[in-house]
Structures are given as structure tokens and as C-alpha cells.
Amino acid sequence: MADKCPVDHGSHSSDQSCPVDHKSRTTWASVLPGSSHTYPVNASSLSTEREVSSIPRTDNGNWVYPSEAQFFAAMARKNHNPHAPDMKTIIPIHNAVNERAWSELMKWESGRGGEKCGGVKLVTFKGRPNDLTPKARLMTLLGYSAPFDRHDWVVERCGTRIRYVIDFYTGRGAGPSSNNVSFYLDVRPALDNWEGVKMRAENIWQDWFGSVRSSNTPSQS
């Protein structure tokens, strides 16, 4: 039975809660609308309903996202001064962004045979907001903004485990002064094993030479 959300939010774990990575959660709150304002805390008004994700687990079922009440309680335990009304904004965005992360990950997995053994499944996950990936570090040296968060997800495809790195960037219109929140996700296999290296190399080959073949193909019209 699914009992957690598909993002590592910290060290707490139980059948009834989704743990929260408090450093990462504070970072996310800073880029969401309304999080910088002061509200009277009314935790009793928060929903306890949890949304089932589309992300499969290895032990049957799918991962389940935290409820508003769980999210609030986990932040409050670490004295991060959460605001109850913010949960109604944070939770839908949190869930939607992670669904998009899985969708982007599955684009990499398309055509690699995972469907032959029940589909690709998420095994483990870890939030690493303070650890820049080599690519993100290079991009910041070139003058680009650094990602505000990073996650590492390990998936299993027919017995093969692949670690994916996800860098989260804010898009135009995001920030405490705007109600238009947008995110850019850079999802790719990590280069820590042969499978990841092969997938990245194949993607580069397709991007370069696939586009060349397409442009050189005469029109059929």
C-alpha cells in the first residue's frame, strides 16, 4: 500500500505521514506566492486528505502525497513557522511539479523496455537542496541562475537501477511578489553508471544527428 510522497522531505517516516525536508521546504516556500506574508495560524482548518500520485512503487501501489495538515505539522515540528493558509497553495504546486518530474523522467525511459516487466518504478528519493550538480555549477559560472532545489530519484527498470538528477528552477513571474508561479525542471540520468552514460550519449546523438537527418529528408508534400 502506498504511504509516502515521491520526494524525500527528511528523516521522519511512518505509515501515516509524509516526511518533510525542512531546508528544501523552506526554500520552496520562499518562491511560492503568499509565503512571505504573516497569517494567523489555524491548523485545524487544514485538510487531511491525501492525493495518490501517478508514480509507481516497487512494492505495489503508487506513492501518496502529504495532506495539508501533514505538511504543516512536519514544518512546525522543526520550528519553521509555517502559515496554515499557505498549505492550500504549496500542496497543489508540490504535487503538480513532482508529477511533471515523473513525466520528464519517463520520456527518458520511453522505449527502453520497462513495460515488459510491469513498468518503471520509483525506488528511493532524496532531496539535496544544498548540493549543486556539476551541470548546475557550470551554468552558474556562465552567468545563469542556480536551481533553488535538487532531488535525486532512483528508479528500477526490469532489475536495473538508474539514478536521475532533477534540478528545479523558477521561471518568469515566480517569486513572493507574483501570483504567477512557473518552474523549469532539468531531469536527466546521473553519470554514475554505464546505463546513465549510455542514455545521455544516445540523447546527444539523437539531438544532433537525428535533427540533421530530419532536416535533410525531402518533403513528401
Side-chain angles (χ1 to χ4, degrees):
M1 179 178 178
D3 55 26
K4 299 178 182 177
C5 68
V7 177
D8 174 24
H9 300 295
S11 58
H12 299 288
S13 180
S14 76
D15 290 342
Q16 300 299 325
S17 66
C18 176
V20 173
D21 178 339
H22 305 286
K23 291 182 180 179
S24 179
R25 210 46 35 212
T26 300
T27 303
W28 274 75
S30 71
V31 301
L32 296 176
S35 61
S36 63
H37 300 288
T38 300
Y39 295 99
V41 174
N42 183 15
S44 63
S45 66
L46 296 177
S47 172
T48 58
E49 294 184 4
R50 304 176 65 184
E51 178 183 344
V52 179
S53 79
S54 67
I55 306 174
R57 298 170 57 97
T58 55
D59 56 354
N60 298 321
N62 288 14
W63 295 91
V64 179
Y65 294 118
S67 68
E68 294 174 2
Q70 288 174 325
F71 219 102
F72 179 90
M75 294 184 71
R77 278 198 298 269
K78 291 296 182 179
N79 299 317
H80 281 277
N81 191 30
H83 301 129
D86 289 350
M87 300 302 108
K88 297 185 182 300
T89 299
I90 292 175
I91 291 296
I93 294 175
H94 166 276
N95 297 358
V97 170
N98 284 291
E99 289 295 318
R100 185 165 19 141
W102 183 252
S103 176
E104 293 296 319
L105 186 155
M106 290 304 296
K107 291 179 183 178
W108 283 93
E109 289 294 323
S110 178
R112 298 187 179 276
E115 66 281 355
K116 297 178 181 178
C117 50
V120 178
K121 297 178 174 62
L122 179 62
V123 182
T124 62
F125 42 83
K126 185 175 180 62
R128 301 175 62 182
N130 297 320
D131 298 331
L132 282 180
T133 62
K135 180 179 180 180
R137 187 175 293 110
L138 174 61
M139 297 303 287
T140 56
L141 291 176
L142 294 176
Y144 292 92
S145 298
F148 73 88
D149 201 2
R150 167 192 172 176
H151 296 153
D152 287 12
W153 292 9
V154 176
V155 304
E156 183 172 285
R157 181 209 314 139
C158 300
T160 298
R161 293 194 173 186
I162 306 100
R163 181 169 66 93
Y164 280 85
V165 178
I166 307 170
D167 284 326
F168 295 83
Y169 297 85
T170 53
R172 293 181 180 178
S177 62
S178 173
N179 288 325
N180 298 319
V181 182
S182 62
F183 297 98
Y184 168 70
L185 278 59
D186 187 358
V187 182
R188 70 271 186 197
L191 298 175
D192 56 0
N193 59 35
W194 170 243
E195 181 65 15
V197 172
K198 183 177 70 172
M199 292 172 69
R200 295 275 285 272
E202 289 174 350
N203 188 65
I204 293 173
W205 179 273
Q206 180 63 32
D207 285 348
W208 283 87
F209 296 99
S211 60
V212 170
R213 285 197 300 271
S214 297
S215 63
N216 290 335
T217 301
S219 172
Q220 300 299 316
S221 60

